[in-house]
Amino acid sequence: MATRILETEGQVCPFPLVEAKQAMSELAIGDDLVIGFDCTQATEAIPTWAADNGYPVTHFDRTGDASWTITVQKA
């Protein structure tokens, strides 16, 4: 299992989600994608996308006033 880090800070929605979808397509089953973002809309969009695709969210933390990190596992 591998972990890929995707930093999308400074990008407006929907770009963090667009990049997450692309990165996830390149991962093997069981790999983790750690996404760093500061787009408030992505706090709902990324977990919803993960749930809709059967990808478990294994970690979701607020890392600053307006920044978050979420870990999504490819299943």
Side-chain angles (χ1 to χ4, degrees), residues 29-69:
I29 291 176
D31 287 353
D32 288 328
L33 178 62
V34 179
I35 309 159
F37 61 96
D38 57 4
C39 172
T40 305
Q41 294 170 335
T43 61
E44 292 183 24
I46 292 174
T48 299
W49 159 76
D52 289 349
N53 287 279
Y55 302 142
V57 172
T58 59
H59 211 84
F60 194 1
D61 284 321
R62 188 174 194 146
T63 58
D65 288 341
S67 57
W68 296 266
T69 185

